[in-house]
Coordinates of all heavy atoms in Angstrom, one line a residue:
M6 N 1.8 3.1 2.1 CA 1.9 2.0 3.1 C 3.3 1.8 3.5 O 4.2 1.7 2.7 CB 1.3 0.7 2.3 CG 1.8 -0.6 3.0 SD 0.9 -1.1 4.5 CE -0.5 -1.9 3.7
H7 N 3.5 1.7 4.8 CA 4.8 1.5 5.4 C 4.8 0.2 6.1 O 3.8 -0.1 6.8 CB 5.1 2.6 6.4 CG 5.3 4.0 5.8 ND1 6.5 4.3 5.2 CD2 4.4 4.9 5.5 CE1 6.4 5.5 4.7 NE2 5.2 5.9 4.9
V8 N 5.8 -0.5 6.0 CA 6.0 -1.8 6.8 C 7.3 -1.8 7.6 O 8.3 -1.4 7.0 CB 6.0 -3.1 5.9 CG1 6.1 -4.3 6.6 CG2 4.8 -3.1 4.9
R9 N 7.2 -2.2 8.8 CA 8.3 -2.1 9.7 C 8.3 -3.4 10.5 O 7.4 -3.9 11.1 CB 8.3 -0.9 10.6 CG 9.5 -0.7 11.4 CD 9.2 0.4 12.5 NE 10.4 0.6 13.3 CZ 11.2 1.6 13.3 NH1 10.9 2.6 12.5 NH2 12.3 1.6 14.1
I10 N 9.6 -4.0 10.6 CA 9.7 -5.3 11.4 C 10.8 -5.0 12.5 O 11.9 -4.5 12.1 CB 10.1 -6.4 10.5 CG1 9.0 -6.6 9.4 CG2 10.2 -7.8 11.4 CD1 9.3 -7.8 8.5
S11 N 10.5 -5.3 13.7 CA 11.6 -5.2 14.7 C 11.5 -6.2 15.8 O 10.3 -6.8 16.0 CB 11.5 -3.7 15.2 OG 10.2 -3.6 15.9
R12 N 12.5 -6.5 16.4 CA 12.5 -7.3 17.6 C 11.7 -6.6 18.7 O 11.7 -5.3 18.8 CB 13.9 -7.5 18.2 CG 14.8 -8.5 17.4 CD 16.1 -8.6 18.1 NE 17.1 -9.2 17.3 CZ 17.2 -10.5 17.3 NH1 16.6 -11.3 18.1 NH2 18.2 -11.0 16.5
A13 N 10.9 -7.3 19.5 CA 10.1 -6.5 20.4 C 9.8 -7.4 21.7 O 9.9 -8.6 21.6 CB 8.8 -6.1 19.8
L14 N 9.4 -6.8 22.7 CA 8.8 -7.3 23.8 C 7.3 -7.1 23.8 O 6.9 -6.0 23.4 CB 9.3 -6.7 25.2 CG 10.7 -7.1 25.6 CD1 11.0 -6.3 26.9 CD2 10.8 -8.6 25.9
E15 N 6.5 -8.1 24.1 CA 5.1 -8.0 24.1 C 4.7 -6.9 25.0 O 5.2 -6.7 26.1 CB 4.5 -9.3 24.7 CG 3.0 -9.4 24.5 CD 2.5 -10.8 25.0 OE1 3.3 -11.5 25.7 OE2 1.4 -11.1 24.7
W16 N 3.8 -5.9 24.5 CA 3.5 -4.7 25.2 C 2.7 -4.9 26.5 O 2.5 -4.0 27.3 CB 2.9 -3.7 24.3 CG 1.7 -4.3 23.6 CD1 0.5 -4.5 24.0 CD2 1.8 -4.9 22.2 NE1 -0.3 -5.1 23.1 CE2 0.5 -5.4 22.0 CE3 2.7 -5.0 21.2 CZ2 0.2 -5.9 20.7 CZ3 2.4 -5.5 20.1 CH2 1.1 -6.0 19.8
A17 N 2.0 -6.1 26.5 CA 1.1 -6.3 27.6 C 1.1 -7.8 27.9 O 1.8 -8.6 27.3 CB -0.4 -6.0 27.2
G18 N 0.5 -8.2 29.0 CA 0.4 -9.6 29.4 C 1.6 -10.2 29.8 O 2.3 -9.7 30.7
L19 N 2.1 -11.2 29.1 CA 3.3 -12.0 29.5 C 4.6 -11.3 29.3 O 5.6 -11.8 29.8 CB 3.3 -13.3 28.8 CG 1.9 -14.1 28.9 CD1 1.9 -15.3 28.1 CD2 1.8 -14.5 30.4
G20 N 4.7 -10.3 28.5 CA 6.0 -9.6 28.2 C 6.9 -10.5 27.5 O 8.1 -10.5 27.7
R21 N 6.4 -11.3 26.5 CA 7.2 -12.3 25.8 C 8.1 -11.6 24.8 O 7.8 -10.5 24.3 CB 6.3 -13.3 25.0 CG 5.5 -14.2 25.9 CD 4.5 -14.9 25.1 NE 3.4 -14.1 24.5 CZ 2.5 -14.5 23.6 NH1 2.4 -15.8 23.3 NH2 1.6 -13.7 23.1
R22 N 9.3 -12.3 24.6 CA 10.1 -11.7 23.5 C 9.6 -12.2 22.1 O 9.0 -13.3 22.0 CB 11.5 -12.3 23.7 CG 12.3 -11.7 24.7 CD 13.8 -12.2 24.8 NE 13.8 -13.6 24.9 CZ 14.2 -14.4 23.8 NH1 14.5 -13.9 22.7 NH2 14.2 -15.7 24.0
G23 N 9.8 -11.4 21.1 CA 9.4 -11.8 19.8 C 9.6 -10.7 18.7 O 10.5 -9.9 18.8
L24 N 8.7 -10.8 17.8 CA 8.9 -9.9 16.6 C 7.6 -9.1 16.5 O 6.5 -9.5 16.7 CB 9.0 -10.9 15.4 CG 9.7 -10.4 14.1 CD1 11.1 -10.2 14.4 CD2 9.5 -11.5 13.1
R25 N 7.8 -7.8 16.1 CA 6.7 -6.9 15.8 C 6.7 -6.5 14.4 O 7.7 -6.0 13.9 CB 6.7 -5.7 16.8 CG 5.4 -4.8 16.6 CD 5.3 -3.9 17.7 NE 6.4 -3.2 18.0 CZ 6.9 -2.9 19.3 NH1 6.2 -3.6 20.3 NH2 8.0 -2.3 19.5
V26 N 5.5 -6.7 13.7 CA 5.5 -6.2 12.4 C 4.3 -5.2 12.3 O 3.2 -5.5 12.7 CB 5.0 -7.4 11.4 CG1 5.1 -7.0 9.9 CG2 5.9 -8.7 11.7
T27 N 4.7 -4.0 11.8 CA 3.7 -2.9 11.7 C 3.5 -2.5 10.3 O 4.4 -2.3 9.5 CB 4.3 -1.7 12.5 OG1 4.7 -2.1 13.8 CG2 3.3 -0.6 12.6
F28 N 2.2 -2.4 9.9 CA 1.7 -1.9 8.7 C 1.0 -0.6 8.9 O -0.1 -0.7 9.6 CB 0.8 -3.0 8.0 CG 1.4 -4.3 7.9 CD1 1.3 -5.3 8.9 CD2 1.9 -4.7 6.7 CE1 1.8 -6.5 8.7 CE2 2.5 -6.1 6.5 CZ 2.4 -6.9 7.6
A29 N 1.4 0.4 8.3 CA 0.7 1.7 8.4 C 0.3 2.3 7.1 O 1.1 2.3 6.1 CB 1.6 2.6 9.2
D30 N -0.8 2.8 7.0 CA -1.3 3.5 5.7 C -1.9 4.8 6.1 O -2.3 5.1 7.2 CB -2.1 2.6 4.9 CG -3.5 2.4 5.5 OD1 -4.2 3.3 5.8 OD2 -3.9 1.2 5.6
N31 N -2.1 5.6 5.1 CA -2.8 6.9 5.2 C -4.1 6.9 4.4 O -4.5 7.9 3.8 CB -1.9 8.1 4.9 CG -1.4 8.0 3.4 OD1 -1.7 7.1 2.7 ND2 -0.6 9.0 3.0
G32 N -4.7 5.7 4.4 CA -6.0 5.6 3.7 C -7.2 6.2 4.5 O -6.9 7.1 5.3
C33 N -8.4 5.8 4.2 CA -9.6 6.4 4.7 C -9.8 6.2 6.2 O -10.6 6.9 6.8 CB -10.8 6.0 3.9 SG -11.1 4.2 3.9
G34 N -9.1 5.2 6.7 CA -9.4 4.8 8.1 C -10.6 3.9 8.3 O -11.3 3.7 7.4
I35 N -10.8 3.5 9.5 CA -11.9 2.5 9.9 C -12.7 3.2 10.9 O -12.2 3.7 11.9 CB -11.3 1.2 10.3 CG1 -10.3 0.6 9.3 CG2 -12.4 0.3 10.8 CD1 -9.5 -0.5 9.9
S36 N -14.0 3.3 10.6 CA -15.0 4.0 11.6 C -15.0 3.2 12.9 O -14.8 1.9 12.8 CB -16.3 4.2 11.0 OG -17.0 2.9 11.0
A37 N -15.4 3.9 14.0 CA -15.6 3.2 15.2 C -16.6 2.1 15.2 O -16.7 1.1 15.9 CB -15.9 4.2 16.4
A38 N -17.6 2.4 14.3 CA -18.7 1.4 14.2 C -18.3 0.2 13.5 O -18.8 -0.9 13.8 CB -19.9 2.1 13.3
D39 N -17.4 0.3 12.5 CA -16.9 -0.9 11.8 C -15.8 -1.7 12.5 O -15.7 -2.9 12.3 CB -16.4 -0.5 10.4 CG -17.4 0.0 9.4 OD1 -18.6 -0.3 9.6 OD2 -17.1 0.6 8.4
M40 N -15.1 -1.0 13.4 CA -13.8 -1.5 14.0 C -14.1 -2.9 14.6 O -13.3 -3.8 14.5 CB -13.4 -0.6 15.0 CG -12.0 -0.9 15.6 SD -10.7 -1.1 14.4 CE -10.0 0.6 14.4
P41 N -15.2 -3.1 15.4 CA -15.4 -4.4 16.1 C -15.6 -5.5 15.1 O -15.5 -6.7 15.5 CB -16.6 -4.1 16.9 CG -16.9 -2.7 17.0 CD -16.2 -2.1 15.7
R42 N -16.0 -5.2 13.8 CA -16.3 -6.3 12.9 C -15.3 -6.6 11.8 O -15.5 -7.5 11.0 CB -17.7 -5.9 12.2 CG -18.7 -5.6 13.2 CD -20.1 -5.6 12.5 NE -20.5 -6.8 11.9 CZ -21.4 -6.9 10.9 NH1 -22.1 -5.9 10.5 NH2 -21.6 -8.1 10.3
I43 N -14.2 -5.8 11.8 CA -13.3 -5.9 10.7 C -12.6 -7.4 10.5 O -12.2 -7.7 9.4 CB -12.3 -4.9 10.6 CG1 -11.3 -4.9 11.8 CG2 -12.9 -3.5 10.3 CD1 -10.2 -4.0 11.7
T44 N -12.5 -8.1 11.6 CA -11.9 -9.4 11.5 C -13.0 -10.5 11.3 O -12.6 -11.7 11.4 CB -11.0 -9.7 12.7 OG1 -11.7 -9.7 13.9 CG2 -9.8 -8.7 12.8
E45 N -14.2 -10.1 11.3 CA -15.3 -11.1 11.1 C -15.3 -11.7 9.7 O -15.2 -10.8 8.8 CB -16.6 -10.3 11.3 CG -17.8 -11.1 11.8 CD -18.9 -10.1 12.1 OE1 -18.9 -9.5 13.2 OE2 -19.8 -9.9 11.2
P46 N -15.3 -13.0 9.5 CA -15.3 -13.5 8.1 C -16.5 -12.9 7.3 O -17.6 -12.8 7.8 CB -15.5 -15.0 8.3 CG -15.0 -15.3 9.7 CD -15.3 -14.0 10.5
F47 N -16.2 -12.5 6.1 CA -17.2 -11.9 5.2 C -17.6 -10.5 5.4 O -18.5 -10.0 4.8 CB -18.4 -12.9 4.9 CG -17.9 -14.3 4.5 CD1 -18.2 -15.4 5.5 CD2 -17.3 -14.5 3.4 CE1 -17.7 -16.6 5.1 CE2 -16.8 -15.8 3.0 CZ -17.1 -16.9 3.9
F48 N -17.1 -9.9 6.5 CA -17.4 -8.5 6.7 C -16.6 -7.6 5.8 O -15.4 -7.7 5.8 CB -17.1 -8.0 8.2 CG -17.5 -6.6 8.3 CD1 -18.7 -6.1 8.5 CD2 -16.4 -5.6 8.3 CE1 -19.0 -4.7 8.6 CE2 -16.6 -4.2 8.4 CZ -17.9 -3.8 8.6
T49 N -17.3 -6.9 4.9 CA -16.6 -6.0 4.0 C -17.4 -4.6 3.9 O -18.6 -4.7 3.9 CB -16.3 -6.7 2.6 OG1 -15.6 -5.8 1.8 CG2 -17.6 -7.0 1.9
T50 N -16.7 -3.5 3.6 CA -17.4 -2.3 3.3 C -17.2 -2.0 1.8 O -17.5 -0.9 1.3 CB -16.8 -1.1 4.1 OG1 -15.4 -1.1 3.9 CG2 -17.1 -1.4 5.6
K51 N -16.6 -3.0 1.0 CA -16.3 -2.8 -0.4 C -17.3 -3.3 -1.3 O -17.0 -3.5 -2.5 CB -14.9 -3.3 -0.6 CG -13.8 -2.7 0.2 CD -12.5 -3.4 -0.1 CE -11.4 -2.8 0.9 NZ -10.2 -3.6 0.8
G52 N -18.5 -3.7 -0.8 CA -19.5 -4.3 -1.7 C -19.0 -5.5 -2.3 O -18.3 -6.3 -1.7
T53 N -19.3 -5.7 -3.6 CA -18.9 -7.0 -4.4 C -17.5 -7.0 -4.6 O -16.9 -8.0 -5.1 CB -19.7 -7.1 -5.7 OG1 -19.6 -5.9 -6.4 CG2 -21.2 -7.4 -5.3
A54 N -16.8 -5.8 -4.4 CA -15.3 -5.8 -4.7 C -14.5 -6.5 -3.5 O -13.3 -6.8 -3.7 CB -14.8 -4.3 -4.9
G55 N -15.2 -6.6 -2.4 CA -14.4 -7.2 -1.2 C -14.9 -8.6 -0.9 O -16.0 -9.0 -1.4
T56 N -14.0 -9.3 -0.3 CA -14.4 -10.7 0.2 C -14.6 -10.7 1.7 O -15.3 -11.6 2.2 CB -13.3 -11.7 -0.2 OG1 -12.1 -11.4 0.6 CG2 -13.0 -11.7 -1.6
G57 N -14.1 -9.8 2.4 CA -14.2 -9.8 3.8 C -13.4 -10.9 4.5 O -13.6 -11.3 5.6
L58 N -12.4 -11.5 3.7 CA -11.6 -12.6 4.3 C -10.3 -12.3 4.6 O -9.6 -12.9 5.4 CB -11.7 -13.8 3.2 CG -13.0 -14.4 3.0 CD1 -12.9 -15.4 1.9 CD2 -13.4 -15.1 4.3
G59 N -9.8 -11.1 4.2 CA -8.3 -10.7 4.5 C -8.1 -10.7 5.9 O -7.1 -11.5 6.4
L60 N -8.7 -9.9 6.7 CA -8.4 -9.7 8.2 C -8.8 -10.9 8.9 O -8.2 -11.2 9.9 CB -9.0 -8.4 8.7 CG -8.3 -7.2 8.1 CD1 -9.0 -5.9 8.6 CD2 -6.8 -7.1 8.6
A61 N -9.8 -11.6 8.5 CA -10.3 -12.9 9.2 C -9.1 -13.9 9.1 O -8.8 -14.5 10.1 CB -11.5 -13.4 8.6
L62 N -8.5 -14.0 8.0 CA -7.4 -14.9 7.8 C -6.2 -14.5 8.6 O -5.5 -15.3 9.2 CB -7.0 -15.0 6.3 CG -5.9 -16.0 5.9 CD1 -6.5 -17.4 6.2 CD2 -5.7 -15.9 4.4
V63 N -6.0 -13.2 8.6 CA -4.8 -12.6 9.4 C -5.0 -12.9 10.8 O -4.0 -13.4 11.5 CB -4.6 -11.1 9.2 CG1 -3.6 -10.5 10.2 CG2 -4.2 -10.8 7.7
K64 N -6.1 -12.6 11.4 CA -6.4 -12.9 12.8 C -6.2 -14.3 13.2 O -5.6 -14.7 14.2 CB -7.9 -12.4 13.1 CG -8.2 -12.6 14.6 CD -9.7 -12.0 14.9 CE -9.9 -11.9 16.3 NZ -10.5 -13.2 16.8
D65 N -6.8 -15.3 12.4 CA -6.7 -16.7 12.6 C -5.3 -17.2 12.6 O -4.8 -17.9 13.4 CB -7.5 -17.4 11.5 CG -7.7 -18.8 11.7 OD1 -8.2 -19.2 12.9 OD2 -7.4 -19.7 10.9
T66 N -4.5 -16.6 11.6 CA -3.1 -17.1 11.4 C -2.3 -16.6 12.6 O -1.5 -17.4 13.2 CB -2.5 -16.5 10.1 OG1 -3.3 -17.0 9.1 CG2 -1.1 -17.0 9.9
V67 N -2.5 -15.3 13.0 CA -1.7 -14.8 14.2 C -2.0 -15.5 15.4 O -1.1 -15.9 16.2 CB -2.1 -13.3 14.3 CG1 -1.5 -12.7 15.7 CG2 -1.5 -12.4 13.1
E68 N -3.3 -15.9 15.6 CA -3.7 -16.6 16.8 C -3.1 -18.0 16.8 O -2.7 -18.5 17.9 CB -5.2 -16.6 17.0 CG -5.7 -15.2 17.5 CD -7.2 -15.1 17.5 OE1 -7.9 -16.1 17.3 OE2 -7.7 -14.0 18.0
K69 N -3.0 -18.6 15.7 CA -2.5 -20.0 15.6 C -1.0 -19.9 16.0 O -0.4 -20.9 16.5 CB -2.6 -20.5 14.3 CG -4.0 -21.2 14.0 CD -4.0 -21.9 12.6 CE -5.4 -22.5 12.5 NZ -6.0 -22.3 11.2
H70 N -0.3 -18.8 15.9 CA 1.1 -18.6 16.3 C 1.2 -17.9 17.6 O 2.2 -17.5 18.1 CB 1.8 -17.7 15.2 CG 2.1 -18.5 13.9 ND1 3.2 -19.3 13.7 CD2 1.3 -18.6 12.8 CE1 3.1 -19.8 12.5 NE2 2.0 -19.4 12.0
H71 N 0.0 -18.0 18.4 CA 0.0 -17.5 19.7 C 0.4 -16.0 19.8 O 1.0 -15.5 20.7 CB 0.9 -18.2 20.7 CG 0.5 -19.7 20.6 ND1 -0.7 -20.2 21.1 CD2 1.2 -20.8 20.1 CE1 -0.7 -21.5 20.8 NE2 0.5 -21.9 20.2
G72 N 0.1 -15.2 18.6 CA 0.5 -13.9 18.6 C -0.7 -13.0 18.9 O -1.8 -13.4 19.4
V73 N -0.5 -11.6 18.7 CA -1.5 -10.7 19.0 C -1.6 -9.7 17.8 O -0.6 -9.2 17.3 CB -1.1 -9.8 20.3 CG1 -2.2 -8.9 20.6 CG2 -0.7 -10.7 21.5
L74 N -2.9 -9.4 17.4 CA -3.1 -8.4 16.4 C -3.8 -7.2 17.0 O -4.8 -7.3 17.8 CB -4.1 -9.1 15.3 CG -4.7 -8.1 14.3 CD1 -3.6 -7.5 13.4 CD2 -5.8 -8.8 13.5
R75 N -3.3 -6.1 16.7 CA -3.8 -4.8 17.2 C -4.1 -3.8 16.0 O -3.3 -3.8 15.1 CB -3.0 -4.1 18.1 CG -3.1 -4.6 19.5 CD -2.5 -3.5 20.5 NE -2.9 -3.9 21.8 CZ -2.5 -3.0 22.9 NH1 -1.9 -1.9 22.6 NH2 -2.9 -3.4 24.1
V76 N -5.2 -3.1 16.1 CA -5.5 -2.1 15.0 C -5.8 -0.8 15.7 O -6.6 -0.7 16.6 CB -6.7 -2.7 14.2 CG1 -6.9 -1.7 13.0 CG2 -6.5 -4.0 13.7
R77 N -5.1 0.2 15.1 CA -5.6 1.6 15.5 C -5.9 2.4 14.2 O -5.2 2.1 13.2 CB -4.4 2.3 16.2 CG -4.0 1.7 17.6 CD -2.9 2.4 18.2 NE -3.2 3.9 18.3 CZ -2.4 4.9 18.2 NH1 -1.1 4.6 17.9 NH2 -2.7 6.1 18.4
S78 N -6.9 3.2 14.3 CA -7.3 3.9 13.0 C -7.9 5.2 13.3 O -8.5 5.4 14.4 CB -8.3 3.0 12.3 OG -8.4 3.4 11.0
S79 N -7.8 6.1 12.4 CA -8.4 7.4 12.5 C -9.1 7.7 11.2 O -8.6 7.5 10.1 CB -7.5 8.5 12.8 OG -8.1 9.8 12.7
T80 N -10.3 8.3 11.2 CA -11.0 8.6 10.0 C -11.1 10.2 9.9 O -11.8 10.7 9.1 CB -12.5 8.1 10.0 OG1 -13.2 8.6 11.2 CG2 -12.5 6.6 10.0
K81 N -10.4 10.9 10.8 CA -10.3 12.4 10.8 C -9.8 12.9 9.4 O -8.7 12.5 9.0 CB -9.5 12.9 11.9 CG -10.1 12.7 13.3 CD -9.6 13.7 14.3 CE -10.2 13.5 15.6 NZ -9.4 12.8 16.6
S82 N -10.6 13.8 8.8 CA -10.1 14.2 7.5 C -8.8 15.0 7.6 O -8.6 15.7 8.5 CB -11.2 15.1 6.8 OG -11.1 16.3 7.3
G83 N -7.9 14.7 6.7 CA -6.6 15.3 6.8 C -5.5 14.5 7.5 O -4.4 14.7 7.3
R84 N -6.0 13.6 8.4 CA -5.0 12.8 9.2 C -5.6 11.4 9.3 O -5.3 10.8 10.3 CB -4.7 13.4 10.5 CG -5.9 13.9 11.3 CD -5.7 14.0 12.7 NE -5.5 12.6 13.3 CZ -5.4 12.4 14.6 NH1 -5.5 13.3 15.5 NH2 -5.3 11.1 15.1
S85 N -6.3 10.9 8.3 CA -6.8 9.6 8.4 C -5.8 8.5 8.1 O -4.9 8.7 7.4 CB -8.0 9.4 7.5 OG -7.6 9.5 6.1
G86 N -6.1 7.3 8.6 CA -5.2 6.2 8.3 C -5.3 5.1 9.3 O -6.1 5.2 10.3
S87 N -4.6 4.0 9.1 CA -4.7 2.8 9.9 C -3.3 2.3 10.2 O -2.4 2.3 9.4 CB -5.5 1.7 9.3 OG -6.8 2.2 8.9
V88 N -3.2 1.7 11.4 CA -1.9 0.9 11.8 C -2.3 -0.4 12.3 O -3.0 -0.5 13.2 CB -1.2 1.8 12.9 CG1 0.2 1.1 13.1 CG2 -0.9 3.2 12.4
F89 N -1.8 -1.4 11.6 CA -2.0 -2.8 12.1 C -0.7 -3.3 12.7 O 0.4 -3.2 12.1 CB -2.4 -3.8 10.8 CG -3.6 -3.3 10.2 CD1 -3.8 -2.3 9.3 CD2 -4.8 -4.1 10.5 CE1 -5.0 -1.9 8.7 CE2 -6.0 -3.8 9.9 CZ -6.1 -2.7 9.0
T90 N -0.7 -3.7 13.9 CA 0.4 -4.3 14.6 C 0.3 -5.8 14.9 O -0.7 -6.1 15.5 CB 0.7 -3.5 15.9 OG1 0.8 -2.1 15.5 CG2 2.1 -3.8 16.4
I91 N 1.2 -6.5 14.5 CA 1.2 -8.0 14.8 C 2.4 -8.3 15.6 O 3.5 -8.0 15.3 CB 1.3 -8.8 13.4 CG1 0.0 -8.7 12.6 CG2 1.5 -10.3 13.8 CD1 0.1 -9.3 11.2
F92 N 2.2 -8.9 16.8 CA 3.3 -9.4 17.6 C 3.3 -10.9 17.5 O 2.2 -11.5 17.7 CB 3.1 -9.0 19.1 CG 4.1 -9.6 20.0 CD1 5.3 -9.1 20.2 CD2 3.8 -10.8 20.7 CE1 6.3 -9.7 21.0 CE2 4.8 -11.4 21.5 CZ 6.1 -10.9 21.6
L93 N 4.5 -11.4 17.2 CA 4.7 -12.9 17.1 C 5.7 -13.3 18.1 O 6.8 -12.8 18.1 CB 5.1 -13.3 15.7 CG 4.1 -13.0 14.6 CD1 4.8 -13.3 13.2 CD2 2.9 -14.0 14.7
P94 N 5.4 -14.2 19.1 CA 6.3 -14.5 20.1 C 7.4 -15.4 19.5 O 7.2 -16.2 18.5 CB 5.5 -15.4 21.1 CG 4.3 -15.8 20.3 CD 4.0 -14.8 19.3
A95 N 8.6 -15.3 20.0 CA 9.7 -16.1 19.5 C 9.5 -17.5 19.9 O 8.9 -17.8 21.1 CB 11.1 -15.7 20.1
A96 N 9.8 -18.5 19.1 CA 9.6 -19.9 19.5 C 10.5 -20.3 20.6 O 11.7 -19.9 20.5 CB 9.8 -20.8 18.2
S97 N 10.0 -21.0 21.6 CA 11.0 -21.5 22.6 C 11.3 -22.9 22.4 O 10.7 -23.6 21.6 CB 10.3 -21.4 24.0 OG 9.0 -22.1 24.0
C98 N 12.5 -23.4 22.9 CA 13.0 -24.7 22.6 C 11.9 -25.7 23.0 O 11.4 -25.7 24.1 CB 14.3 -24.9 23.4 SG 15.7 -24.0 22.8
G99 N 11.7 -26.7 22.1 CA 10.9 -27.8 22.4 C 9.3 -27.5 22.2 O 8.5 -28.3 22.5
S100 N 9.1 -26.3 21.8 CA 7.6 -25.9 21.6 C 7.1 -26.6 20.3 O 5.9 -26.6 20.2 CB 7.5 -24.4 21.6 OG 8.0 -23.9 20.3
G101 N 8.0 -26.9 19.5 CA 7.5 -27.5 18.2 C 7.1 -26.4 17.2 O 6.7 -26.8 16.1
A102 N 7.2 -25.1 17.6 CA 6.7 -24.0 16.7 C 7.7 -23.7 15.6 O 8.9 -24.1 15.8 CB 6.4 -22.8 17.5
Ligands
LIG17 N1 -6.1 -0.5 5.7 C1 -7.4 -0.4 5.8 N2 -8.0 0.9 5.8 C2 -9.3 1.1 5.9 N3 -10.1 0.1 6.1 C3 -9.8 -1.1 6.2 C4 -8.3 -1.5 6.1 N4 -8.2 -2.8 6.1 C5 -9.4 -3.3 6.4 N5 -10.4 -2.3 6.4 C6 -11.8 -2.5 6.7 O1 -12.1 -3.8 7.1 C7 -12.9 -4.5 6.1 C8 -12.5 -5.9 6.1 O2 -11.2 -6.1 5.5 P1 -10.8 -7.4 4.8 O3 -11.0 -8.5 5.8 O4 -9.3 -7.2 4.3 O5 -11.8 -7.6 3.6 P2 -11.8 -6.8 2.2 O6 -10.6 -6.1 2.0 O7 -12.1 -7.9 1.3 O8 -13.0 -5.9 2.4 C9 -12.7 -3.7 4.8 O9 -13.9 -3.9 3.9 C10 -12.6 -2.3 5.3 O10 -13.8 -1.7 5.7
LIG18 MG1 -8.6 -6.4 2.6

């Protein structure tokens, strides 16, 4: 697992200034079928070992900060893994953030 934090401009939309946090792993990856559901509360592929709450909480928290969560993943054998990118906009004066 690699974590990287850098100053960034939002890659789309408003082009806001902020912070980008990237989490990358070389795990099993996320299938295209599962991808649309991974931030759904209680969605888990880990049976009773999972709660399905991790990414739901991440998405909710990022959105409360007016940020953006992006996920890219590959399940190809030999090169599988996932990259989670969080963009958090810098607080502007008087925003109360
Ligand atoms: N880094 C990852 N690599 C592969 N699959 C992942 C990863 N993170 C999340 N997932 C997939 O998304 C599902 C939901 O994740 P999460 O909300 O953290 O719940 P949990 O970890 O309890 O299952 C996981 O069960 C798994 O299928
Ligand atoms: Mg989890």
Side-chain angles (χ1 to χ4, degrees):
M6 158 77 87
H7 293 273
V8 183
R9 187 188 175 112
I10 304 178
S11 58
R12 286 178 191 272
L14 284 177
E15 190 177 15
W16 51 78
L19 304 170
R21 295 171 295 177
R22 283 186 306 107
L24 205 65
R25 181 163 53 229
V26 189
T27 306
F28 303 84
D30 67 52
N31 58 359
C33 59
I35 301 164
S36 74
D39 289 343
M40 189 61 93
R42 301 193 62 197
I43 60 170
T44 59
E45 207 174 276
F47 306 113
F48 175 81
T49 183
T50 57
K51 299 175 185 172
T53 54
T56 63
L58 290 175
L60 288 174
L62 184 63
V63 168
K64 181 175 191 275
D65 191 54
T66 305
V67 168
E68 286 178 356
K69 280 187 177 137
H70 289 273
H71 308 290
V73 185
L74 169 67
R75 273 200 170 181
V76 187
R77 292 181 59 215
S78 192
S79 170
T80 56
K81 290 204 177 97
S82 77
R84 48 156 291 191
S85 66
S87 305
V88 183
F89 295 80
T90 307
I91 293 171
F92 173 80
L93 294 171
S97 54
C98 290
S100 70

